[in-house]
Amino acid sequence: MATDGATGRLTYSDYLKVPELLEQQHCLAEPPAHDELQFIVVHQVYELWFKLVRHEADEIHRLLRAGSDTDLRNALRLARRIEAIFKVLVGQIHVLESMRPADFLKFRAALNPASGFQSVQFREVECLFGLKDETLASYTSGDPRHGELQRRLAETSIAETLYAVLRAKGFDVTAPGDARTEAQRDATLAALKVVYDDPDDHPLVYELCESLVDIDEQLILWRRHHVMMVERQIGDKPGTGKGTTGDLDGIRYLQTTLMRRVFPDLWEVRTLLSD
Ligand code: HEM
């Protein structure tokens, strides 16, 4: 690792590769548009946070598979970290909202047909938690990380592993999916109701489930805030990813994503609780 030439000691800049980081923003608009740097920096920062979310989520998944109570408590601690990161991700959207729509239009054509829709790390995060979609994944086929995404599509997700944890704790649960029968679904919700009726009798399982619902909720809040910001910027115009989002594009496509849930059973169980 490079060090301070004068003292030979490691510097802040060397450790964090600050010069290299500051070289990674290449604005494309001609004539130059003031807001393009803001747009690039915000997106790059998202990608760095997605990298950290992947790192933490992989460790959560390992701990859930290991399965001792200590492992589960550590998984819970890291799940809270991901929730904290997502709160930052939701808040960051305000930076883009400081851009006037007319100023966005000064450089929007330069980035066409690139779109956040092609963020392979976002798809990896969705996949890791359990939102797997081969069609959406196929749109990132030109990306260097596409192979990683394909691997994750084939792998067990955190949502599926949560059901294995619950079964190991004695609950008769089956993960949602094509193979789950109606009877298995009813048994799963009945078992979750036991946990949610008396959280104090199952504190670790309850806290774990709720910390995953916290992450699910933050992901939904990000989608909602993103679609509102997009509407504020481009109204009902087609997105730059037009042609890859099926029959719908722009905010019409984004609105269809708002009902996606990583842990649908954990949301549904609340309706079943008795007064
Ligand atoms: C002015 C700023 C932004 C605008 C106008 C915008 C617009 C859009 C639009 C219209 C779509 C739908 C696909 C398409 O038609 O292209 C989309 C999807 C998406 N955008 Fe953005 N976006 C902005 C900022 C961001 C940022 C900062 C991120 C952070 C990484 C992001 C991540 C995504 C993701 C992940 C999707 C796919 C969502 C899904 O399929 O569930 N966008 N965006």
Side-chain angles (χ1 to χ4, degrees):
M1 183 175 291
T3 51
D4 181 299
T7 65
R9 293 169 66 189
L10 182 67
T11 65
Y12 172 88
S13 225
D14 291 330
Y15 179 61
L16 297 173
K17 302 275 176 258
V18 176
E20 290 87 340
L21 259 181
L22 300 184
E23 284 301 313
Q24 304 307 316
Q25 296 71 43
H26 303 285
C27 295
L28 295 179
E30 256 337 309
H34 175 84
D35 281 11
E36 189 175 3
L37 181 61
Q38 169 260 171
F39 185 84
I40 292 175
V41 168
V42 170
H43 280 80
Q44 288 184 340
V45 170
Y46 266 102
E47 291 296 331
L48 284 176
W49 282 122
F50 290 158
K51 178 173 182 171
L52 186 58
V53 171
R54 282 198 292 110
H55 178 70
E56 304 298 352
D58 276 334
E59 180 63 2
I60 290 173
H61 203 180
R62 189 191 70 74
L63 290 162
L64 292 181
R65 278 189 284 227
S68 74
D69 281 3
T70 305
D71 294 320
L72 298 185
R73 272 190 288 272
N74 277 320
L76 184 56
R77 178 175 56 79
L78 295 181
R80 289 188 175 132
R81 177 177 295 168
I82 293 189
E83 184 200 356
I85 295 170
F86 260 103
K87 285 183 174 162
V88 175
L89 296 186
V90 175
Q92 247 172 228
I93 292 183
H94 290 303
V95 180
L96 287 161
E97 284 169 337
S98 71
M99 178 166 65
R100 298 177 298 186
D103 292 334
F104 183 34
L105 292 176
K106 289 182 183 143
F107 65 90
R108 188 171 184 240
L111 63 98
N112 196 34
S115 164
F117 184 70
Q118 299 157 342
S119 168
V120 74
Q121 288 205 98
F122 183 81
R123 297 292 173 224
E124 280 182 75
V125 170
E126 284 188 317
C127 224
L128 247 163
F129 279 101
L131 293 173
K132 297 182 186 176
D133 188 318
E134 291 189 10
T135 309
L136 288 178
S138 70
Y139 295 122
T140 64
S141 58
D143 192 284
R145 291 196 62 81
H146 184 69
E148 272 297 292
L149 177 59
Q150 289 296 326
R151 182 181 68 75
R152 289 188 187 282
L153 272 172
E155 245 180 19
T156 313
S157 68
I158 287 178
E160 287 157 335
T161 301
L162 175 69
Y163 284 84
V165 168
L166 291 168
R167 280 194 296 276
K169 292 280 181 196
F171 297 99
D172 177 18
V173 293
T174 310
D178 297 342
R180 185 164 82 168
T181 63
E182 267 307 297
Q184 285 171 325
R185 177 183 175 278
D186 292 347
T188 302
L189 288 169
L192 290 173
K193 185 172 178 306
V194 170
V195 176
Y196 276 75
D197 266 336
D198 291 301
D200 292 339
D201 291 347
H202 316 276
L204 185 53
V205 168
Y206 178 78
E207 286 297 320
L208 195 58
C209 289
E210 281 299 276
S211 71
L212 294 172
V213 171
D214 285 335
I215 294 174
D216 209 2
E217 182 173 335
Q218 288 304 318
L219 184 54
I220 297 161
L221 290 176
W222 182 84
R223 291 185 199 279
R224 288 180 188 274
H225 199 173
H226 172 260
V227 69
M228 286 185 76
M229 176 275 296
V230 173
E231 184 171 2
R232 210 168 149 171
Q233 289 296 341
I234 63 169
D236 200 14
K237 284 193 169 97
T240 46
K242 181 171 164 45
T244 50
T245 49
D247 297 337
L248 302 169
D249 61 64
I251 53 166
R252 288 167 197 266
Y253 160 72
L254 290 170
Q255 275 153 359
T256 67
T257 68
L258 298 180
M259 290 311 290
R260 301 189 97 197
R261 297 281 183 277
V262 180
F263 305 102
D265 290 339
L266 297 182
W267 290 95
E268 191 168 349
V269 67
R270 285 142 228 276
T271 314
L272 306 176
L273 301 186
S274 327
D275 296 338

